[in-house]
């Protein structure tokens, strides 16, 4: 199968919607990451998503809708607090798990009685759902296990030949997947950190705050989203993590690895390294082009936590393209979306 990449103009959207209506799959941009979509009401179409990605069938999909009016076609009941979060954060990088309507096939929810729902903010995603006239089930459009795609070319690299059509809406503006909250069992529970920072969700009510605080650490014994148990975001290189500001640790490990002849990629915070100017920091000198080191094959500097979120998956993919042996990452500041960045970094380092 030829995989076509096309800008989401009117003609492309009409064609993509026809593919969805005809039971096929289309990759499309959202503000978080690219998704691989199929008609959420068509079990056979949904199976093609699992095939293309090599995704385990016990890992349910998120159903994407265009607006609140479509909600009651996919969920049975809407708790008041869920309705409030929808008003406040949707369209946006938030997904709610709710009791599913009969119309949603088991293939979408992996047999669960609940369905994950989100209203994306990207205009091409909303236009596609509207044109297709059906809710669209879509996981991230990467091959299972690799970092989520934040550019159309990432989808192409992973799924070329396996899907017909990629709508190229440019770089994703958030770069991390949506935050997921489960409303299906009593008090709401956080299942996945993501694009809406926890700080923005806490304090909404005592109930939400209590639960979300407890789950922010993803404490053992709590049920998480089924997909979170799989290895994720893992580049081929070994990932080493350092706390924000631990430039000494980064420096030492970098020189040890380079001394062994390892090809090292660095993902660091610009603030930490600006402060190293005028010191003996070898890494600062490489960044400032004052010196070179043949073993440091890439050094990415993140300007702040939002920038880190936007570029993290791209950088992890680059480490593979450049055949790095090791990636040394300095964590983001542990606040706001930085907490979600650090969650993904820990998964990439196989710590969660
Ligand atoms: O930002 C996003 O959420 C992106 C874009 C494309 O919308 N989608 C995404 O989908 O990240 P995916 O499939 O890569 O991750 C969805 C996560 C998985 O961990 C899955 O197990 C969980 O959501 N999930 C889906 N349905 C669920 C349900 N009914 N109950 C609990 N977890 C669920
Ligand atoms: Mg995914």
């Amino acid at each position: 199968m030829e995989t076509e990449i096309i800008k989401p103009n009117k003609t492309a959207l009409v064609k993509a919607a026809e593919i969805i209506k005809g039971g096929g799959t289309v990759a499309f941009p959202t503000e978080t990451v690219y998704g691989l979509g199929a008609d959420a009401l068509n079990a056979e179409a949904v199976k093609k998503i699992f095939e293309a990605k090599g995704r385990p069938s016990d890992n349910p999909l998120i159903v994407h809708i265009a607006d609140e009016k479509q909600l009651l076609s996919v969920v049975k009941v809407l708790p008041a607090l869920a309705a409030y979060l929808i008003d406040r954060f949707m369209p946006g990088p938030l997904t709610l798990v709710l009791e599913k309507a009969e119309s949603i096939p088991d293939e979408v929810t992996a047999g669960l009685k609940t369905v994950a729902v989100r209203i994306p903010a990207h205009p091409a995603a909303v236009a596609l759902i509207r044109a297709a006239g059906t809710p669209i089930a879509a996981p991230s459009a990467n091959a299972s296990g690799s970092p989520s795609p934040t550019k159309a070319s990432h989808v192409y690299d992973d799924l070329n030949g396996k899907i017909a059509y990629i709508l190229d809406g440019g770089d994703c503006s958030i770069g991390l997947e949506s935050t997921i909250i489960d409303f299906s069992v009593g008090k709401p529970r956080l299942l996945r950190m993501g694009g809406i920072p926890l700080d923005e969700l806490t304090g909404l009510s005592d109930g939400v705050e209590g639960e979300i605080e407890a789950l922010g650490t993803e404490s053992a014994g709590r049920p998480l989203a089924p997909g979170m148990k799989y290895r994720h975001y893992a580049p081929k290189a070994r990932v080493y993590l350092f706390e924000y500001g631990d430039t000494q640790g980064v420096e030492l490990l970098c020189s040890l690895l380079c001394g062994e002849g390892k090809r090292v990629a660095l993902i660091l915070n610009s603030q930490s390294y600006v402060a190293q100017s005028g010191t003996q920091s070898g890494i600062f000198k490489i960044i400032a082009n004052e010196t070179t080191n043949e073993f440091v094959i890439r050094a990415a500097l993140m300007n702040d936590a939002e920038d880190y979120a936007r570029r993290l998956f791209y950088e992890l993919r680059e480490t593979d393209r450049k055949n790095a042996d090791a990636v040394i990452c300095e964590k983001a500041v542990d606040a706001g979306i930085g907490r979600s960045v650090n969650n993904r970094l820990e998964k990439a380092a196989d710590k969660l």
Side-chain angles (χ1 to χ4, degrees), residues 69-260:
K69 284 181 279 185
Q70 243 180 327
L71 252 183
L72 288 172
S73 65
V74 296
V75 308
K76 221 175 224 166
V77 279
L78 190 58
L81 204 49
Y84 172 79
L85 290 184
I86 289 168
D87 281 346
R88 176 134 175 210
F89 294 107
M90 290 196 200
L94 179 66
T95 295
L96 300 185
V97 172
L98 297 158
E99 216 181 310
K100 87 175 183 73
E102 299 298 333
S103 57
I104 304 293
D106 281 346
E107 282 73 8
V108 171
T109 64
L112 296 173
K113 293 280 164 256
T114 57
V115 64
V117 190
R118 113 173 178 83
I119 305 176
H122 197 295
V126 176
L128 177 65
I129 302 165
R130 292 228 161 93
T134 181
I136 294 183
S140 50
N142 51 291
S144 218
S146 66
S148 295
T150 53
K151 292 172 181 287
S153 62
H154 295 164
V155 181
Y156 188 85
D157 290 344
D158 281 16
L159 302 179
N160 176 24
K162 296 184 172 149
I163 60 174
Y165 217 53
I166 303 173
L167 290 173
D168 180 358
D171 293 358
C172 297
S173 59
I174 292 176
L176 295 183
E177 306 89 339
S178 58
T179 299
I180 306 181
I181 303 179
D182 184 357
F183 272 91
S184 68
V185 277
K187 275 171 125 188
R189 299 177 302 184
L190 177 77
L191 299 188
R192 179 175 74 182
M193 293 198 225
I196 304 268
L198 289 189
D199 327 28
E200 283 187 33
L201 290 167
T202 53
L204 291 174
S205 82
D206 285 348
V208 177
E209 182 168 20
E211 286 302 297
I212 286 181
E213 279 305 302
L215 283 156
T217 52
E218 303 201 342
S219 42
R222 296 272 193 161
L224 296 176
M228 295 307 271
K229 69 176 181 270
Y230 294 107
R231 188 159 156 76
H232 260 81
Y233 317 115
K236 293 189 195 90
R238 171 90 190 259
V239 178
Y240 296 93
L241 278 192
F242 287 91
E243 292 305 318
Y244 178 82
D246 187 3
T247 53
Q248 281 190 337
V250 170
E251 199 82 45
L252 180 57
L253 183 64
C254 184
S255 68
L256 288 171
L257 290 170
C258 290
E260 289 173 27

